[in-house]
Amino acid sequence: MSPAIAHVDLDAIDHNLRTLHALAPRAELMLAVKSNAYGHGLHEAVRTGLAAGASWFGVLEPNAGIELREAGVEVPLFAWMHGQDTDFAAAAEARVDLGVQTFWQLEAIAASAPRVRPRVHLKIDTGLHRGGADQPRWAEFVSEALRLQAAGKLEVVAAWSHLSDTSHSADLESTARFNAAVDEARALGAQFELLHLGASAAVIDLPEAHFDLVRVGIAAYGISPFGDRSAADLGLRPAMQLRAPVLDARHGLASIAIGFGDGIQSDPDAGAYVVVDGHAAPVIEVGVDETVVALPSGAGAVGAGSECIVFGDGSSGEATAEQWAIWGETVGDEIVTGLTGRVTRSYSGA
């Protein structure tokens, strides 16, 4: 294990969920906990989400849903990433709802012969092109699902999609396509219990996409889904602070016990820094297990064991994960989710 620690403030997640849900009060709230809750801890995030009013959890893969059921979680679960080896029968028996995007998935679910009829959410591609039935084949897709439902093989309970979040106008157009697809499906006989389309960005900016359920992902963990507004701008609190000890300090340089083997990434020329002894220390080089930084002249007696803050909520002068994403020319999701299992997680709050 690395000596680095990713400390997660569960109170921040609670605050973010309540803040976001207040923007879509008529919709149910699904907390996305894919990829170990974006690196924040699956079970800890679920417990916090339940206390904050989440009535659904999005788990990505069915196996994560089965894990939560085995841990005693009883609220609805939704999984939408399926491979050829997915055990659809086990997912259905664990009462994990399945997002269905292709004809082969429909047929595989029907052929899995579970003892419990799988509940499926049919996905229409509204323009993102990240899965879902294309509009010209949507009617055929719905008709096949309804045929399998009539045969007792599955239960059609919802329609859903993803937005591209490339622009407000594009998302409005996608929402209109979604509404048209739902109307078309209902004309074929579909009786949907739920419609869901909007994720973090739409919760904040697009009430037209709230429908019955909103899926909140990265914003719940205090990272903005927008490029032009920070979490602070949105009233959200970053939930993770990444810390690592100094290994050695001499000649104005310090080695920090964290590197790209732990998930840190940076172009040394991008301006990245960490905070040591309350001062910004520019990153010189990122290695596998260590990062070398330049100690500022104002830093005190920095030596082995001194604490370094890599990123956090900015309250101690450190950069946020959003700022690290800018330095790495990526998104904040990748910064927190990319921390490897070598980094110990610790928790407080909630």
Side-chain angles (χ1 to χ4, degrees), residues 175-262:
T175 303
R177 293 189 196 103
F178 182 73
N179 279 319
V182 169
D183 289 343
E184 185 177 9
R186 284 174 168 160
L188 293 169
Q191 297 179 348
F192 298 126
E193 298 175 13
L194 286 170
L195 303 176
H196 54 109
L197 177 63
S200 290
V203 170
I204 297 165
D205 268 1
L206 198 71
E208 296 90 342
H210 289 176
F211 294 101
D212 303 305
L213 177 69
V214 290
R215 306 185 304 264
V216 177
I218 194 60
Y221 305 98
I223 295 176
S224 173
F226 304 110
D228 60 349
R229 283 167 285 171
S230 69
D233 294 334
L234 300 171
L236 304 176
R237 291 162 45 188
M240 182 184 287
Q241 184 190 71
L242 180 63
R243 305 189 300 254
V246 172
L247 294 171
D248 189 27
R250 63 183 73 186
H251 309 303
L253 299 177
S255 297
I256 311 299
I258 193 167
F260 59 75
D262 305 293

Side-chain angles (χ1 to χ4, degrees), residues 33-58:
V33 290
K34 62 184 181 180
S35 300
N36 195 31
Y38 292 82
H40 290 71
L42 173 64
H43 295 279
E44 292 81 4
V46 166
R47 287 196 297 270
T48 303
L50 287 170
S55 54
W56 283 76
F57 292 97

Side-chain angles (χ1 to χ4, degrees), residues 68-321:
L68 288 178
R69 287 286 184 246
E70 291 173 347
V73 176
E74 291 297 325
V75 300
L77 304 174
F78 177 59
W80 64 98
M81 184 68 74
H82 314 305
Q84 297 289 339
D85 59 349
T86 295
D87 190 339
F88 291 113
E93 288 161 15
R95 295 172 288 114
V96 177
D97 283 22
L98 301 168
V100 180
Q101 309 186 46
T102 65
F103 283 90
W104 79 258
Q105 289 175 354
L106 276 177
E107 300 302 334
I109 290 168
S112 67
R115 290 172 292 181
V116 178
R117 277 205 305 173
R119 288 167 46 94
V120 302
H121 301 214
L122 304 181
K123 186 176 185 183
I124 171 73
D125 181 4
T126 58
L128 178 59
H129 307 310
R130 198 172 82 187
D134 292 333
Q135 195 282 327
R137 299 199 69 188
W138 172 246
E140 182 186 355
F141 187 60
V142 172
S143 296
E144 177 63 9
L146 294 177
R147 182 188 71 80
L148 293 170
Q149 177 173 258
K153 301 292 187 180
L154 50 78
E155 183 179 1
V156 177
V157 299
W160 72 296
S161 190
H162 278 104
L163 294 171
S164 66
D165 297 331
T166 54
S167 71
H168 188 76
S169 60
D171 285 350
L172 282 174
E173 291 173 5
S174 292
T175 303
R177 293 189 196 103
F178 182 73
N179 279 319
V182 169
D183 289 343
E184 185 177 9
R186 284 174 168 160
L188 293 169
Q191 297 179 348
F192 298 126
E193 298 175 13
L194 286 170
L195 303 176
H196 54 109
L197 177 63
S200 290
V203 170
I204 297 165
D205 268 1
L206 198 71
E208 296 90 342
H210 289 176
F211 294 101
D212 303 305
L213 177 69
V214 290
R215 306 185 304 264
V216 177
I218 194 60
Y221 305 98
I223 295 176
S224 173
F226 304 110
D228 60 349
R229 283 167 285 171
S230 69
D233 294 334
L234 300 171
L236 304 176
R237 291 162 45 188
M240 182 184 287
Q241 184 190 71
L242 180 63
R243 305 189 300 254
V246 172
L247 294 171
D248 189 27
R250 63 183 73 186
H251 309 303
L253 299 177
S255 297
I256 311 299
I258 193 167
F260 59 75
D262 305 293
I264 286 298
Q265 50 183 293
S266 175
D267 175 355
D269 296 327
Y273 65 87
V274 301
V275 167
V276 182
D277 189 38
H279 294 78
V283 171
I284 303 299
E285 181 182 10
V286 179
V288 179
D289 305 305
E290 299 180 21
T291 293
V292 178
V293 302
L295 292 174
S297 58
V302 175
S306 296
E307 184 177 80
C308 161
I309 304 176
V310 180
F311 63 74
D313 64 5
S315 60
S316 298
E318 76 275 22
T320 62

Side-chain angles (χ1 to χ4, degrees), residues 5-11 13 36-37 39-45 47-48 239-240 243 343-350:
I5 294 176
H7 181 76
V8 178
D9 178 1
L10 298 176
D11 284 341
I13 297 175
N36 195 31
H40 290 71
L42 173 64
H43 295 279
E44 292 81 4
R47 287 196 297 270
T48 303
M240 182 184 287
R243 305 189 300 254
V343 178
T344 300
R345 270 63 171 179
S346 65
Y347 299 91
S348 64

